[in-house]
């Protein structure tokens, strides 16, 4: 009897941000899809934003995995993602207008909790109440991400699978509208101008509220319209991913935000509402941790963060002529999702040590090295002074981090342009030295370097799929 050899399982890579998000993960995910056959989003919601530049054309993605920009690559939205169906459909329409085929290649987990207008309304009302009381705002995007995760943990969430059962959906929706109206009344929602709170393009939350109270019919009607368009893409993503891996597919797991925004390991409470670390790729997609073979940490050549919270190496980035201003302007540091300015500061190796520890990083990709072109002197944080002691790793939680004073070493900068460089040896010697110190102080090897937002401007030292 002839024996047939069993298929060789594929190799899987997890891509995570190691700072506070905005590290350039989208470009690297897109670049790696030359080798991958499937890309998976495993956490977060449309508060995330990945910007890709391909042949000079910029594309911003918020929910759909970055692999969608390569023909033939399948894209999956895992159960760990909280899904605003209307936002997903907006993104699909935008991509289709650019001649990108989406619907036949996108699979949405039936286990995704849904984000509905009341989630965004509560998000906005809470931040407004904090501002009115004079307390520090968390700095959320106001898109309902946190309240949607709260519903998930409290076991009252409406999920994508409920869209397939209209009667069940309607009954659960009634309960949630009543629940949220009670909270909105307590927060003084009737006093807010809801016309300024965006929901979809060209639509505000005002369409769903009257005198600060949610209107069931408006929410239900929109949800059912979205359901008909989403249903063909709903799938058992866990089963499909495991089957694809078994038959040799290389999968890429795409994280959103960054490690220091992780609900457990970030600068709590100034964090997002999900686990952004590599280990959550397993739970958020429905695969075993043994299927995660390599973890690539994406790291800017400097540091940025959006919103509130401590930032030990932050510079005076709004003053013209300063290094921080250089980073902010040359790096075009505006949030992909919100357009908010990003705070800028020196590279922080002690922070990166924390990220390496909680993610189990296999290698690093340093992005935006070219932004530092023209700075004649660079500083690199190797640790902090905290309450009279020297620590070499970022502490846990915002309170301790806020008391940290960074300890710097100074390195020479470079004046030559690194834009578009694709060979390590072609970098200025000072840039090579800077990268070497990052690698030495963080204790993680650098396997890739990005020298512009363009897909092809990448230095490859070791390929994650060929480890």
């Amino acid at each position: 009897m002839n024996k047939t050899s069993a298929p060789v399982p594929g190799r899987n890579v997890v891509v995570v941000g190691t700072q506070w998000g905005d590290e350039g993960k989208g470009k690297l995910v897109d670049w790696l899809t030359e080798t991958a056959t499937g890309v998976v989003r495993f956490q977060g919601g449309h508060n995330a934003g990945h910007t890709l530049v391909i042949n000079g054309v910029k594309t911003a993605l918020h929910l759909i995995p970055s692999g969608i920009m390569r023909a033939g690559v399948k894209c999956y939205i895992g159960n760990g993602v909280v899904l605003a169906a209307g936002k997903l459909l907006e993104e699909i329409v935008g991509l289709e207008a650019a001649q990108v085929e989406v619907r036949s290649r996108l699979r949405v987990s039936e286990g995704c909790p849904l984000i509905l207008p009341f989630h965004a309304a509560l998000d906005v009302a809470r931040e407004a109440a904090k501002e009115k009381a004079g307390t520090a705002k968390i700095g959320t995007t106001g898109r309902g991400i946190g309240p949607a995760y709260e519903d998930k943990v409290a076991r009252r969430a409406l999920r994508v699978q409920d869209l397939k059962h209209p009667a069940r959906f309607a009954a659960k929706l009634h309960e949630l509208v009543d629940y949220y109206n009670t909270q909105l009344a307590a927060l003084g929602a009737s006093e807010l101008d809801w016309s300024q709170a965006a929901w979809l393009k060209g639509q505000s939350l005002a369409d769903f509220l009257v005198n600060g109270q949610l209107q069931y019919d408006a929410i239900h009607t929109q949800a059912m319209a979205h359901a008909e368009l989403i249903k063909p893409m709903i799938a058992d993503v866990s089963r499909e991913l495991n089957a694809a891996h078994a038959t040799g597919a290389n999968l890429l797991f795409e994280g959103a935000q960054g490690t220091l925004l992780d609900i457990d390991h970030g600068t709590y409470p100034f964090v997002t509402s999900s686990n952004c670390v590599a280990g959550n790729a397993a739970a958020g997609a429905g695969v075993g941790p043994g299927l995660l073979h390599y973890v690539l940490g994406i790291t800017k050549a400097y540091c940025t963060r959006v919103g509130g919270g401590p930032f030990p190496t932050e510079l005076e980035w709004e003053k013209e002529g300063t290094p921080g201003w250089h980073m902010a302007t040359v790096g075009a540091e505006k949030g992909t999702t919100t357009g908010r300015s990003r705070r800028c500061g020196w590279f922080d190796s002690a922070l990166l040590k924390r990220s390496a520890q909680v993610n189990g990083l296999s290698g690093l990709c340093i992005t935006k090295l070219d932004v530092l072109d023209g700075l004649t002197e660079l500083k690199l944080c190797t640790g902090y002074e905290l309450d009279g002691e020297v620590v070499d790793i970022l502490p846990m939680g915002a309170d301790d981090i806020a008391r940290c004073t960074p300890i710097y070493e100074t390195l020479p900068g470079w004046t030559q342009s690194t834009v578009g460089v694709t060979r390590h040896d072609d970098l200025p010697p000072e840039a090579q030295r800077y990268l070497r110190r990052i690698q030495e102080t963080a204790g993680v090897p650098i396997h890739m370097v990005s020298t512009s937002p363009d897909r092809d401007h990448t230095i490859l030292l070791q390929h994650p799929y060929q480890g």
Side-chain angles (χ1 to χ4, degrees), residues 99-302:
Q99 307 302 310
V100 178
E101 167 54 32
V102 180
R103 295 173 204 251
S104 65
R105 298 162 52 205
L106 180 63
R107 310 295 274 163
V108 180
S109 172
E110 59 187 0
C112 292
L114 291 167
I115 301 177
L116 292 158
F118 42 76
H119 294 121
L122 183 63
D123 211 349
V124 170
R126 281 176 171 170
E127 289 286 83
K130 284 180 177 291
E131 186 172 34
K132 185 177 180 180
T135 56
K137 296 195 293 184
I138 296 298
T140 75
T141 60
R143 284 159 169 75
I145 310 301
Y149 274 116
E150 289 176 38
D151 279 357
K152 172 183 177 177
V153 175
R155 295 163 294 189
R156 58 174 172 258
L158 276 161
R159 304 203 294 173
V160 165
Q161 62 182 203
D162 292 316
L163 295 174
K164 299 188 293 185
H165 306 282
R168 184 170 84 194
F169 185 95
K172 289 184 178 182
L173 181 63
H174 269 297
E175 293 180 7
L176 283 169
V177 167
D178 290 343
Y179 172 80
Y180 277 91
N181 273 336
T182 300
Q183 295 193 63
L184 289 171
L187 289 166
S190 61
E191 301 174 10
L192 300 179
D193 181 3
W194 291 102
S195 66
Q196 301 302 307
W199 175 240
L200 300 179
K201 286 180 182 176
Q203 181 182 45
S204 71
L205 289 174
D207 288 352
F208 304 97
L209 293 112
V210 175
N211 295 324
Q213 289 289 281
L214 296 155
Q215 302 300 296
Y216 169 87
D217 288 342
I219 298 172
H220 181 262
T221 298
Q222 185 178 81
M224 289 298 97
H226 291 163
E228 292 307 307
L229 298 170
I230 293 289
K231 281 178 185 177
M233 294 175 277
I234 298 175
D236 183 343
V237 165
S238 171
R239 181 174 183 176
E240 291 196 11
L241 290 174
N242 279 278
H245 169 73
T247 54
N250 289 335
L251 300 174
L252 188 61
F253 294 82
E254 177 182 26
Q257 288 93 30
T259 300
L260 273 298
L261 292 175
D262 183 274
I263 187 67
D264 287 309
H265 301 286
T267 51
Y268 190 93
F270 300 95
V271 292
T272 192
S273 303
S274 60
N275 286 112
C276 312
V277 294
N280 194 40
V287 301
L291 266 61
L292 309 178
H293 303 124
Y294 177 105
V295 180
L296 180 65
I298 312 299
T299 305
K300 263 182 189 163
Y302 50 101

Side-chain angles (χ1 to χ4, degrees), residues 420-438:
V421 173
T422 56
R423 294 179 67 252
H424 180 267
D425 290 348
D426 292 339
L427 290 172
E430 296 84 358
Q432 294 183 37
R433 180 181 174 186
Y434 183 67
L435 293 173
R436 189 161 58 249
R437 282 303 290 152
I438 289 175

Side-chain angles (χ1 to χ4, degrees), residues 8-171:
V8 177
R11 178 172 169 84
N12 304 322
V13 171
V14 184
V15 173
V16 293
T18 61
Q19 296 161 322
W20 284 285
D22 308 309
E23 300 95 348
K25 296 180 290 297
K27 169 192 167 172
L28 272 301
V29 168
D30 171 69
W31 189 89
L32 287 166
T33 53
E34 187 174 20
T35 304
T37 50
V39 183
V40 192
R41 263 288 300 277
F42 60 86
Q43 48 78 219
H46 63 292
N47 57 337
H50 291 166
T51 301
L52 294 75
V53 180
I54 301 168
N55 297 325
V57 179
K58 182 182 291 187
T59 301
L61 299 173
H62 303 277
L63 278 166
I64 297 175
S66 301
I68 202 68
M69 300 307 292
R70 281 199 192 263
V73 173
K74 292 202 73 171
C75 292
Y76 305 86
I77 296 178
N79 56 275
V81 173
V82 285
L83 187 83
K87 284 295 181 182
L88 177 63
L89 292 167
E90 279 185 358
E91 204 163 305
I92 290 172
V93 170
L95 287 166
E96 288 175 338
Q99 307 302 310
V100 178
E101 167 54 32
V102 180
R103 295 173 204 251
S104 65
R105 298 162 52 205
L106 180 63
R107 310 295 274 163
V108 180
S109 172
E110 59 187 0
C112 292
L114 291 167
I115 301 177
L116 292 158
F118 42 76
H119 294 121
L122 183 63
D123 211 349
V124 170
R126 281 176 171 170
E127 289 286 83
K130 284 180 177 291
E131 186 172 34
K132 185 177 180 180
T135 56
K137 296 195 293 184
I138 296 298
T140 75
T141 60
R143 284 159 169 75
I145 310 301
Y149 274 116
E150 289 176 38
D151 279 357
K152 172 183 177 177
V153 175
R155 295 163 294 189
R156 58 174 172 258
L158 276 161
R159 304 203 294 173
V160 165
Q161 62 182 203
D162 292 316
L163 295 174
K164 299 188 293 185
H165 306 282
R168 184 170 84 194
F169 185 95

